[in-house]
């Protein structure tokens, strides 16, 4: 895909030629690829150009800059791994959504009521390799997987109807 700033230059060029936004989007897509720019995005930039704003820099983000203290959050998680998001929000005086976003940014997920890292540690990976290799060697010595019946949570009715000749 083409560089976003290059596409904005193309849109400005088409605007200065007096073209319509939809026509500009169609021409840019035919030159740079089908999904290079949408007609709506082109209309948005044309509105900016009509207002006299010819800066081609896109804003880096929306909303206000967060001054959230992640160190305080991490300290609370170390102190009490069973703490809930609502309790964290009350303690840190922010919304539950902010806590959810910050926990996701830290790579934390809740497992069995505790906040733990989403990524496996080297020790966890080694344990899994050890367990898998022991199960594989056990299967080679005494086949036990053939005796396990698995399935999902659907019931299957097995009816063996014999057809009778008419």
């Amino acid at each position: 895909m083409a560089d976003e700033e290059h596409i904005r230059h193309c849109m400005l060029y088409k605007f200065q030629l007096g073209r319509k936004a939809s026509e500009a989007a169609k021409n840019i897509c035919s030159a740079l690829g089908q999904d290079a720019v949408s007609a709506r995005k082109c209309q948005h930039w044309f509105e900016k150009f009509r207002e006299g704003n010819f800066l081609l820099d896109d804003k880096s983000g929306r909303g206000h800059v967060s001054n959230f203290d992640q160190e305080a959050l991490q300290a609370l998680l170390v102190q009490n791994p069973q703490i809930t998001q609502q309790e964290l929000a009350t303690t840190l005086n922010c919304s539950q959504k902010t806590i959810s976003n910050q926990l996701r940014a830290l790579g934390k997920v809740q497992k069995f009521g505790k906040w733990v890292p989403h990524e496996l540690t080297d020790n966890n990976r080694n344990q899994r390799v050890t367990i898998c290799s022991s199960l594989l060697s056990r299967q080679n010595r005494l086949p036990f997987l053939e005796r396990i019946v698995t399935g999902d949570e659907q019931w299957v009715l097995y009816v063996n109807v014999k057809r009778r000749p008419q």
Side-chain angles (χ1 to χ4, degrees):
M1 185 171 177
D3 183 27
E4 291 292 322
E5 191 172 358
H6 176 68
I7 291 173
R8 289 192 289 269
H9 280 281
C10 293
M11 286 188 278
L12 178 59
Y13 174 73
K14 292 292 185 179
F15 175 79
Q16 290 172 337
L17 287 177
R19 304 287 193 258
K20 292 183 179 180
S22 58
E23 180 186 343
K26 196 181 299 181
N27 289 339
I28 291 170
C29 286
S30 68
L32 300 176
Q34 187 176 7
D35 296 327
V37 67
S38 68
R40 180 63 194 119
K41 190 172 191 177
C42 209
Q43 290 168 357
H44 170 75
W45 280 97
F46 270 50
E47 288 172 18
K48 284 181 149 188
F49 299 151
R50 274 192 289 278
E51 293 168 358
N53 182 0
F54 296 104
L55 296 176
L56 298 177
D57 297 333
D58 203 9
K59 292 182 181 175
S60 61
R62 293 187 171 94
H64 66 282
V65 177
S66 175
N67 56 358
F68 186 81
D69 187 10
Q70 282 192 341
E71 293 165 0
L73 176 62
Q74 286 181 329
L76 286 170
L77 291 175
V78 168
Q79 183 181 1
N80 182 8
Q82 287 88 11
I83 195 166
T84 65
Q85 285 188 16
Q86 195 59 46
E87 291 170 342
L88 286 168
T90 305
T91 305
L92 296 173
N93 195 23
C94 62
S95 70
Q96 187 267 333
K97 181 64 177 167
T98 301
I99 295 295
S100 176
N101 291 340
Q102 295 298 323
L103 288 170
R104 190 177 311 114
L106 289 172
K108 299 282 187 179
V109 292
Q110 195 168 33
K111 300 269 180 153
F112 303 111
K114 293 176 83 174
W115 291 102
V116 295
H118 184 65
E119 297 293 323
L120 293 175
T121 63
D122 289 335
N123 190 24
N124 295 133
R125 287 189 197 105
N126 291 336
Q127 284 178 338
R128 287 184 180 200
V129 168
T130 304
I131 291 169
C132 289
S133 60
S134 70
L135 286 172
L136 188 59
S137 65
R138 180 179 170 195
Q139 169 65 18
N140 290 338
R141 281 182 285 129
L142 176 66
F144 69 95
L145 291 176
E146 296 162 355
R147 296 180 294 186
I148 297 176
V149 177
T150 60
D152 57 7
E153 296 182 18
Q154 292 181 349
W155 288 92
V156 177
L157 180 61
Y158 178 71
V159 179
N160 191 4
V161 179
K162 292 184 180 181
R163 291 192 165 182
R164 297 185 182 140
Q166 302 237 353

